[in-house]
Amino acid sequence: MNHPELDQLSDFAEGVPVDADAREALERHLADCPACRGEVEWIRSLRDQALRLRGQEVPPPEGLWTKVEAGIRAREGVLDLDRARERRGGGWGRYALQAAAVLFLVALSSFAALAILRSGSEPSGAGPSVAGQEGPGAELRFASAVEEMESAYGPAIRELELALERDRGNLAPETVEVLEENLRIIDQAIRDALAALEADPGSSAATGLVGGMYETKLQVLQQAVRLAREA
Amino acid sequence: LASTAAPLEQADPKALIDRARNGHVPSFEALYRAHAPRVYALCLRMAGDPVQAEEWAQEAWIRAWERLPGFRGESAFTTWLHRLTVNLILDRRRGDQRWARRFESVGEYAPFEGSTSTNEAHPGVRMDLERAVATLPEGARTVFLLYDVEGYRHQEIADRLGVAEGTVKAQLHRARKMLRERMDR
């Protein structure tokens, strides 16, 4: 017995229109072939069940809103920058405003990182690297969190850094100076947040801080590349 | 920002959207509280990994914040948010070369023996669809979810993921076959 192609059975099961002759031939085959009939029934049943997955709900991790809020904060800084640009018709003021927004964010992050480090180091009085949860499990969790962060942000950040390197000649030297200062401060904030995470690898607040700072760096780089291209 | 979402969660969704569109973060947080479980479930299904799912959900909500001013209410907010999240995931997948290589590897199919599945503890018990989908290889899982759950067409999936339409069809057949093996046991 010649069986229809799997594509034909799928189309039939899904109700994809085919010409009347082909449909009639397929229906004749299905009447005599339990295997192909079973395949069609399976596809129909699977698609019915699949539709129900769409309404599924799973509670998100607790710290997620904190990370979203950090990203929005970063975005708000960029929006302020755009509004300032409209008011000022471009020019130096927008970079100063961006610097202020970024510095505000980073200052918040550093305070929070410090708070986590302090709370983690109180019981032992030891330094950040041994505070909080100790042992190979904590180290593994920290390494895994760093790896995940790197995999989530690293490629995009490096791509933007390359793009910025290519187009930085379009920007005024003062602008480059401000951007580099911002990026240097953000990198320091990332290091601070990572130290907090290392001290307490299970802390969703520390994870949120690291994610928020990476997100900030990403946003600033995106804005810088956009400015360089528009210049 | 102080968390002031609790009383807002009772507010009219349209009013929340209007306020959030105008930059009111507590209203946006109330929208987040109402819709985050669906967005996260979608990300978790597509990622098959909670860490990746959290990253995508975070990005999806930030993108929603950015694009909310453009939301005109032609579709329901839930539909808009769902589509935005799927599009973000597809954008991320398309730019991920390592994932693209894993996606293309259709040849590594091995019949399911039951030894690595979540029904191992209960031999003979059928696995439900959600758990069975989670055991699929990435390419098969992604195409099944996009086609049979999200309703994208073969060509659309191929275009969005940057792969051939034939590869998408092969991955769909592979997914359905593997799911049948897992769920018929």
Side-chain angles (χ1 to χ4, degrees):
Chain A
M1 183 183 283
N2 286 330
H3 297 283
E5 296 288 328
L6 206 44
D7 279 349
Q8 290 175 284
L9 292 176
S10 279
D11 287 350
F12 182 81
E14 294 168 26
V16 175
V18 291
D19 69 68
D21 289 348
R23 183 179 178 86
E24 202 177 310
L26 192 58
E27 282 172 342
R28 273 201 308 274
H29 175 84
L30 290 174
D32 294 334
C33 179
C36 289
R37 206 164 53 243
E39 185 65 30
V40 167
E41 284 165 6
W42 164 247
I43 293 170
R44 284 178 176 158
S45 149
L46 185 62
R47 285 173 62 81
D48 281 348
Q49 293 180 67
L51 285 180
R52 289 198 285 274
L53 285 183
R54 285 202 74 176
Q56 188 189 41
E57 296 193 350
V58 178
E62 257 182 42
L64 182 57
W65 170 251
T66 308
K67 294 179 186 177
V68 170
E69 196 178 18
I72 289 173
R73 283 284 192 192
R75 182 64 189 155
E76 279 182 329
V78 175
L79 288 175
D80 284 347
L81 173 64
D82 286 342
R83 288 184 199 113
R85 180 184 186 180
E86 281 170 21
R87 282 198 302 273
R88 293 163 189 264
W92 173 248
R94 55 184 162 154
Y95 303 112
L97 196 61
Q98 182 185 36
V102 169
L103 285 172
F104 173 69
L105 270 169
V106 171
L108 273 182
S109 160
S110 297
F111 273 123
L114 194 60
I116 290 168
L117 281 171
R118 280 181 176 161
S119 68
S121 63
E122 270 172 10
S124 63
S129 61
V130 293
Q133 303 169 44
E134 296 179 20
E139 283 172 20
L140 279 176
R141 278 200 301 279
F142 173 66
S144 161
V146 170
E147 193 183 325
E148 291 297 343
M149 221 50 98
E150 168 58 27
S151 126
Y153 291 100
I157 285 178
R158 279 190 287 282
E159 194 179 311
L160 285 165
E161 283 173 338
L162 281 174
L164 184 58
E165 194 56 41
R166 275 196 304 272
D167 296 332
R168 69 190 298 145
N170 299 339
L171 297 170
E174 299 93 326
T175 307
V176 172
E177 197 180 320
V178 170
L179 283 171
E180 284 181 345
E181 179 63 5
N182 273 276
L183 291 170
R184 189 189 64 72
I185 294 168
I186 293 170
D187 283 340
Q188 181 58 50
I190 289 175
R191 285 192 288 274
D192 290 346
L194 283 170
L197 183 61
E198 188 175 15
D200 189 359
S203 160
S204 59
T207 308
L209 270 182
V210 178
M213 283 303 99
Y214 271 110
E215 188 67 39
T216 303
K217 182 168 184 175
L218 196 66
Q219 299 269 1
V220 169
L221 281 169
Q222 282 170 340
Q223 177 75 351
V225 168
R226 203 171 83 200
L227 292 171
R229 285 178 181 163
E230 288 172 357
Chain B
L1 293 172
S3 179
T4 54
L8 283 172
E9 283 172 4
Q10 312 300 324
D12 169 33
K14 190 176 175 306
L16 286 177
I17 292 166
D18 284 343
R19 284 202 292 267
R21 190 190 282 143
N22 288 316
H24 190 244
V25 177
S27 293
F28 188 69
E29 184 180 356
L31 290 170
Y32 168 89
R33 301 284 172 210
H35 297 275
R38 284 187 80 151
V39 170
Y40 182 68
L42 168 62
C43 293
L44 193 57
R45 269 200 308 276
M46 293 294 290
D49 160 36
V51 176
Q52 179 66 80
E54 186 176 356
E55 293 292 341
W56 281 345
Q58 179 190 350
E59 285 190 64
W61 280 103
I62 292 169
R63 186 180 276 194
W65 168 261
E66 290 171 354
R67 300 200 176 166
L68 199 53
F71 173 66
R72 299 285 170 233
E74 286 96 351
S75 60
F77 179 71
T78 314
T79 309
W80 177 81
L81 187 61
H82 190 93
R83 200 74 178 177
L84 176 145
T85 307
V86 173
N87 284 336
L88 178 131
I89 292 169
L90 290 175
D91 289 347
R92 294 293 172 268
R93 284 303 195 205
R94 194 181 164 86
D96 184 341
Q97 294 303 314
R98 276 190 308 175
W99 182 83
R101 283 193 293 276
R102 288 202 302 275
F103 179 93
E104 296 277 3
S105 62
V106 187
E108 65 186 25
Y109 172 73
F112 178 61
E113 302 294 342
S115 59
T116 57
S117 77
T118 49
N119 66 356
E120 186 180 9
H122 305 284
V125 174
R126 286 178 171 211
M127 200 188 295
D128 67 29
L129 180 59
E130 183 190 343
R131 285 193 301 152
V133 168
T135 69
L136 292 177
E138 285 202 57
R141 189 182 68 246
T142 302
V143 170
F144 171 75
L145 290 171
L146 290 174
Y147 189 86
D148 279 339
V149 179
E150 302 300 333
Y152 283 74
R153 311 317 301 166
H154 291 303
Q155 187 60 57
E156 199 177 359
I157 296 170
D159 290 346
R160 296 300 305 270
L161 292 175
V163 298
E165 187 179 353
T167 306
V168 170
K169 286 185 177 179
Q171 290 285 19
L172 179 66
H173 294 324
R174 182 186 186 215
R176 287 172 173 172
K177 184 175 180 180
M178 294 173 91
L179 288 171
R180 190 173 189 181
E181 285 173 2
R182 283 150 170 73
M183 295 172 70
D184 271 357
R185 285 175 60 84

